[in-house]
Amino acid sequence: MTDRPAPTASGKPGDRYKWTALTNTTAAVFMSALDGSIVLIALPSIFRGIHLDPLAPGNIAYLLWMIMGYRLVQAVLVVTVGRLGDMYGRVKIYNSGFAVFTFASILLSVDPFDGGHAAMWLIGWRVLQAVGGSMLTANSAAILTDAFPQEQRGFALGVNQVAGLGGMFIGLVAGGLLSAWDWRAVFWVNVPVGVFFTLWAYRTLRETGKRSGGRIDWWGNITFAVGLSAILIAVTFGLQPYGGHTMGWTNPLVDGLIIGGLALLAAFVAIENRVAAPMIQLSLFRSRAFTFGNLAGLAISIGRGGMQFVLIIWLQGIWLPLHGYDYADTPLWAGIFMLPLTAGFLAAGPVSGYLSDRLGSRGLASGGALLFGASFLGLMLLPINFSYWIFAVLIALNGIASGMFASPNSSSIMGSVPARSRGVASGMRSTFQNSGTAVSIGVFFSLMIAGLASSLPHTLTDGLRQHGVPADVAAQVGNLPPVSSLFAAQLGVNPVQTLLEPSGALNQLTTEQQQTLTGREFFPTLISGPFHSGLVIVFAFGAVLALLAAIASLLRGTGTPRPAETTQLDPTTSEGKAMALSTIDPASALIVIDLQQGIVASQTDPAVAGIVERSARLAAEFRRHELPVVLVNVTGRAPGRTESTRFAGGTELPAGWADLIDELDVQPSDHLITKRRRSAFHDTGLDTLLRDLGVTQIVLAGIATSSGVESTARAGSDHGYHVVLATDAMSDPDSDAHRHSVERVFPKLGETATAAEVIDMVEATR
C-alpha cells in the first residue's frame, strides 16, 4: 500500500494524487462512453457475426436495444450508485465499477449462441456492462471535485468530460476499425485496459471526501427505472409500423406504455418529495446553476445523440455509396469521415474548462450552445451530395461547440452543490445526459421517418418499376416501413438487394437491370429527395434544442461559486467567514442541546429567553414537517472522572434539574437523549439513531455554544453529517467563548444560519 500518496500537512490531497485521480477517472469515463457508441458502428459486423437478419420485423427491436439498453441502464442507475458512493465511499464504488465493467466485457466477447438468442446474450451482458459504467461515471466527477481545489476544478472536470464525450465520438471510428477485423474485438479492447486500471485504481485512489449516512430510496429507484423503461419500450414499438401506418404511435400498447411510464415518473417525483433519503435530491434544484445547467445539458444531449445517428445514416446510406464506396465498407469510412467532429471536441473541451475557471461558466456554455445550433442550421442547408470540406467544417464546429459547452456546464453544476452531495449530483447530471441520449434515438428517428414517409413509398415504387421490377413487387417494397430502409443503410447492407431478395424479383431481371438496381448509385439517388426532407426536419429540431439550451444556460446566473464553496476553510486555518446555509436535506434532524430546567434557570443573561423561544419554534417547525427532533439533556459527569466539576462533591442533583423545559413542548414523536459528557454523540447511541432514521443533516441549537453545542458539532462533522448551526438559537455564559465558536470554529464544521432562515429553508424545500 506504499503507492497510496499521503495527504499534505494541510490535510488536502497532494498534487501527485489529484493528477493520479484525473488520469484514472478520465480513462474510466472514456471507456464507459466509448462502449456507448462503439456498438453503433460495429452493428453490421455484429449482426453478420451472429447470423441475424437486420430487416426481419422482430429483429429491429434487437438493434434498438443494443443501442438504447446501455444508455437506459446508465440513466436509471447512475444516481443510485452516486448515492452509494456518498454513503459508502466514492472510491470503493468506483473501483468495483471497473471490475464489473471488465468482467462484462469478457462475457460479451464469448457469445456462445446464434441468431436471436445471441442477440439476447449481448443485450443482457451489455446491461451488466452499463452497471459497471454507471459506477464509474457517477463517482468520477465527485472524486475529482474532492481532489481538486476550486480554482482548478473546471479544468479537471473539463478534461474528464472531454474524455467522456470524446469517447462517444472516438467509438464511432474504433467500432469500424475493430469490427473490420472481428466483431468480438469491440469488446476485447476493454479487457486489458480494464484490468490495468482496476488494479491501479485500487492501489492509488483513496477517499478524500466525507461519507454521509442514509438509505437507498428503493421505491424511487423502482418507479424511475420502470417508468423510463416503459417509455423507451414504447419508442421501440413506435418506430415500427402498425395497422397500415408507417410508425406505431397509434398502437394502443404504445399509448399504454407511454401513459403508464409518465404516471410512474410522476409518482417518482411525489415519492422524492416524501422519503427521507431520496434518489433525486429535489432540494438541489433550488440552485439556479444546478437546475438550468442540467436542463441545458439535457437539451444538448438530445441534440447531440440524435445527430450522430442521422449523420451516420447520411454517410453510410447515401454519400459514401455515391462516392464509390461499397456498402460493406461504409461503416468504417463513416467513422473516419466523422473525425473532424471528434477533433473539434477534443480541441475545445480542455481549453473551455481552463477558461471557465477564470472567466466563469455562463458565457462559455451559452456561446457553445448557440454555436451548436448554428452548426445544425449549416447542416440543414447542405445538399445531399455535399462537398466534403464544407461538411467537415460544419461538424468540426459542432464538435467545438460541444466542447465549449460541456466543460463549463459540468463545472457550474458540480460547483453549485455542497461537498456532501457531489456523488449524487454527479449522478443526476449523468442521468440527464444519458436520458437525453436514449430519448434522442426515438425523437430523431421518428422525425426522420415522418419526413421520409410522405414521399419515399411513391419514389421507391416508381424507381423500381422503371427498371423492370414487377408492379406488385415494387409496390410491396415501396410500402415497406421507412425504418427498414434507414436500418438497411445504417447496417451497411445493399438496401435494394436486401429488400428484393425475399421475392426473387432480381432473378427475373436482366443483368444490366440487376447491376443498376444493386449498384452504388441507384438507391442513394432514389431516396435523396425524401431523405433531405427528413434531414431538414431533424436539423431544424436540433437547432431549436440548442437555442433552448442557450436560454437555460443564460438563466443559470453568473456562475460564481456558491458561498459554501468559497468560504470552505483549510483545517489548519484559524479563522474565516461563516458559511451561509445552502439547503435543508430531505433527511434532516433538529438536535437541541441541554435546554433543561437546572441549566436554563442558572442563566443570568436575559437573551436566554429568546434562545429558548427560537429553539422551541425550530422544534415545532421540524415536527410539523415530520422531521426528527432530538432533545438532549445532561445528568452529570462522565463515569470515572475525578477532576473538579460542577457535579463533584457527591451531592445529588436537585429534583427536576435534568427535566427538559416546558417551552420545548415535548411530544411522543421526539427522541430523548441523555448524555454525561459534552458531546451528545458520546456513549449515547445518537449516531445509531440518526442512521436508522436515514438522517444526513443535523441542525443544532441549545446551551452552551462553546461546550455542548460545539462538541456535538465536532462529533457530527466527524461522523459525516452535514452540520447546520442555528447561531441565534444558542447561548453561552461566556460571550467571548460564544463569539469564538460562531466566528472561528463553526465555519470549519458546517453552515450557519438564524433560526428564521432555517425555518424558511425547511418550508421552501418541503
Side-chain angles (χ1 to χ4, degrees):
M1 302 301 288
T2 55
D3 289 342
R4 290 180 180 267
T8 63
S10 67
K12 293 181 178 180
D15 280 349
R16 179 185 172 189
Y17 174 75
K18 68 186 181 184
W19 298 120
T20 298
L22 178 60
T23 304
N24 196 282
T25 57
T26 296
V29 169
F30 177 83
M31 277 180 52
S32 178
L34 183 85
D35 272 70
S37 62
I38 196 171
V39 169
L40 179 63
I41 286 289
L43 278 173
S45 179
I46 292 173
F47 268 64
R48 287 193 298 269
I50 63 177
H51 308 109
L52 196 66
D53 179 6
L55 299 184
N59 293 344
I60 291 176
Y62 290 137
L63 185 147
L64 286 171
W65 279 98
M66 283 185 189
I67 301 170
M68 290 197 304
Y70 191 87
R71 295 297 179 191
L72 170 63
V73 172
Q74 288 199 320
V76 168
L77 283 187
V78 76
V79 172
T80 299
V81 293
R83 174 68 171 162
L84 288 172
D86 288 339
M87 292 169 59
Y88 301 113
R90 293 154 189 171
V91 171
K92 181 183 295 184
I93 301 299
Y94 173 88
N95 289 346
S96 300
F98 246 133
V100 170
F101 188 90
T102 305
F103 177 69
S105 298
I106 295 172
L107 292 173
L108 280 163
S109 65
V110 293
D111 192 339
F113 299 109
D114 202 57
H117 290 96
M120 291 303 297
W121 172 278
L122 293 177
I123 292 171
W125 292 116
R126 281 278 286 173
V127 167
L128 182 64
Q129 190 183 48
V131 172
S134 299
M135 297 165 76
L136 294 173
T137 55
N139 289 284
S140 61
I143 290 172
L144 288 180
T145 308
D146 288 335
F148 277 82
Q150 173 73 26
E151 65 274 10
Q152 293 180 320
R153 192 171 296 151
F155 170 78
L157 290 171
V159 170
N160 202 246
Q161 289 301 300
V162 165
L165 295 174
M168 291 175 59
F169 298 134
I170 293 174
L172 302 177
V173 181
L177 292 171
L178 293 171
S179 63
W181 170 37
D182 191 305
W183 69 266
R184 296 174 180 85
V186 301
F187 305 117
W188 289 338
V189 71
N190 296 322
V191 178
V193 177
V195 170
F196 173 78
F197 280 99
T198 299
L199 295 175
W200 188 39
Y202 176 77
R203 291 179 61 84
T204 59
L205 297 184
R206 67 175 189 274
E207 302 291 352
T208 58
K210 292 181 180 179
R211 300 183 190 182
S212 61
R215 300 173 178 175
I216 296 297
D217 171 21
W218 293 114
W219 283 113
N221 277 274
I222 291 170
T223 51
F224 182 75
V226 177
L228 186 58
S229 298
I231 291 174
L232 291 182
I233 291 171
V235 168
T236 303
F237 287 108
L239 292 175
Q240 301 178 57
Y242 173 80
H245 299 282
T246 56
M247 288 187 286
W249 298 112
T250 58
N251 187 339
L253 176 61
V254 172
D255 295 337
L257 285 170
I258 290 177
I259 293 171
L262 292 175
L264 284 171
L265 292 179
F268 164 73
V269 174
I271 289 169
E272 299 308 277
N273 276 311
R274 298 181 64 85
V275 298
M279 171 185 167
I280 297 286
Q281 290 189 12
L282 297 179
S283 60
L284 294 179
F285 288 104
R286 298 190 71 254
S287 165
R288 287 176 60 192
F290 185 84
T291 300
F292 288 108
N294 276 302
L295 289 176
L298 175 65
I300 292 293
S301 294
I302 295 174
R304 181 173 51 235
M307 180 197 67
Q308 287 185 8
F309 297 114
V310 171
L311 292 183
I312 288 171
I313 294 172
W314 191 356
L315 289 172
Q316 291 183 185
I318 297 179
W319 193 85
L320 286 168
L322 286 176
H323 288 78
Y325 293 86
D326 290 332
Y327 281 103
D329 297 330
T330 56
L332 168 62
W333 287 103
I336 293 174
F337 279 112
M338 287 181 68
L339 276 173
L341 181 69
T342 304
F345 182 83
L346 294 177
V351 174
S352 64
Y354 174 84
L355 292 175
S356 70
D357 291 330
R358 287 152 179 77
L359 305 177
S361 301
R362 184 170 66 166
L364 284 168
S366 303
L370 289 173
L371 183 60
F372 190 74
S375 68
F376 273 106
L377 294 176
L379 289 169
M380 185 171 65
L381 297 175
L382 277 184
I384 286 293
N385 193 9
F386 51 78
S387 174
Y388 178 71
W389 74 267
I390 301 177
F391 178 82
V393 169
L394 288 173
I395 63 173
L397 286 176
N398 188 280
I400 291 170
S402 293
M404 283 179 61
F405 174 84
S407 302
N409 192 61
S410 295
S411 179
S412 173
I413 291 171
M414 293 302 296
S416 69
V417 301
R420 74 197 181 282
S421 299
R422 285 171 184 160
V424 71
S426 176
M428 291 167 69
R429 177 185 55 80
S430 296
T431 292
F432 275 94
Q433 179 174 309
N434 290 319
S435 298
T437 302
V439 169
S440 69
I441 299 171
V443 171
F444 275 72
F445 267 78
S446 296
L447 292 173
M448 176 61 70
I449 292 170
L452 288 171
S454 60
S455 55
L456 181 60
H458 175 73
T459 303
L460 190 55
T461 300
D462 285 352
L464 293 174
R465 290 178 60 187
Q466 290 173 11
H467 290 82
V469 176
D472 58 333
V473 175
Q476 180 184 4
V477 172
N479 289 322
L480 286 175
V483 68
S484 297
S485 299
L486 286 179
F487 283 134
Q490 183 185 354
L491 290 174
V493 299
N494 188 310
V496 174
Q497 181 177 340
T498 303
L499 295 172
L500 289 178
E501 271 183 344
S503 66
L506 275 176
N507 298 327
Q508 304 172 19
L509 305 179
T510 66
T511 301
E512 182 181 356
Q513 289 173 326
Q514 289 182 23
Q515 291 176 346
T516 299
L517 290 173
T518 60
R520 299 189 186 101
E521 296 186 3
F522 176 76
F523 183 77
T525 302
L526 193 66
I527 70 168
S528 291
F531 189 80
H532 189 263
S533 300
L535 281 181
V536 170
I537 295 173
V538 164
F539 289 141
F541 181 69
V544 171
L545 285 174
L547 178 61
L548 294 176
I551 294 172
S553 183
L554 288 170
L555 292 173
R556 80 176 70 231
T558 60
T560 55
R562 60 188 290 115
E565 296 288 352
T566 57
T567 58
Q568 192 170 2
L569 299 179
D570 188 298
T572 61
T573 303
S574 62
E575 51 183 81
K577 300 176 182 177
M579 296 200 297
L581 178 63
S582 59
T583 188
I584 290 292
D585 287 0
S588 293
L590 173 69
I591 302 177
V592 182
I593 308 293
D594 297 351
L595 287 187
Q596 58 195 72
Q597 300 285 358
I599 293 179
V600 173
S602 68
Q603 304 298 304
T604 59
D605 187 350
V608 169
I611 304 302
V612 168
E613 188 270 333
R614 285 184 281 275
S615 297
R617 279 199 293 121
L618 282 169
E621 182 70 10
F622 271 63
R623 293 182 192 118
R624 188 167 73 86
H625 290 282
E626 299 181 350
L627 295 172
V629 173
V630 180
L631 304 176
V632 181
N633 69 344
V634 60
T635 59
R637 66 187 181 188
R641 294 285 295 274
T642 58
E643 68 269 26
S644 176
T645 72
R646 76 165 91 185
F647 304 116
T651 58
E652 293 187 4
L653 296 172
W657 188 90
D659 292 346
L660 295 167
I661 59 175
D662 295 337
E663 288 86 343
L664 288 177
D665 190 23
V666 180
Q667 298 296 311
S669 60
D670 295 343
H671 303 275
L672 307 182
I673 293 290
T674 296
K675 64 185 177 73
R676 296 178 65 85
R677 301 183 183 180
R678 288 184 175 87
S679 171
F681 281 94
H682 282 296
D683 299 328
T684 62
L686 176 59
D687 181 51
T688 301
L689 169 67
L690 295 178
R691 295 196 186 279
D692 286 344
L693 294 171
V695 170
T696 59
Q697 180 183 52
I698 55 175
V699 178
L700 300 182
I703 296 175
T705 309
S706 65
S707 181
V709 176
E710 182 178 312
S711 296
T712 302
R714 289 181 183 276
S717 177
D718 289 341
H719 279 81
Y721 295 100
H722 172 211
V723 178
V724 176
L725 299 119
T727 53
D728 66 342
M730 59 183 66
S731 177
D732 195 291
D734 185 335
S735 60
D736 290 335
H738 171 85
R739 186 163 48 253
H740 180 272
S741 294
V742 171
E743 295 179 359
R744 300 197 175 191
V745 178
F746 289 172
K748 305 173 187 177
L749 304 177
E751 299 177 341
T752 58
T754 65
E757 289 171 340
V758 172
I759 290 171
D760 288 345
M761 187 70 76
V762 169
E763 186 68 34
T765 54
R766 291 301 178 277

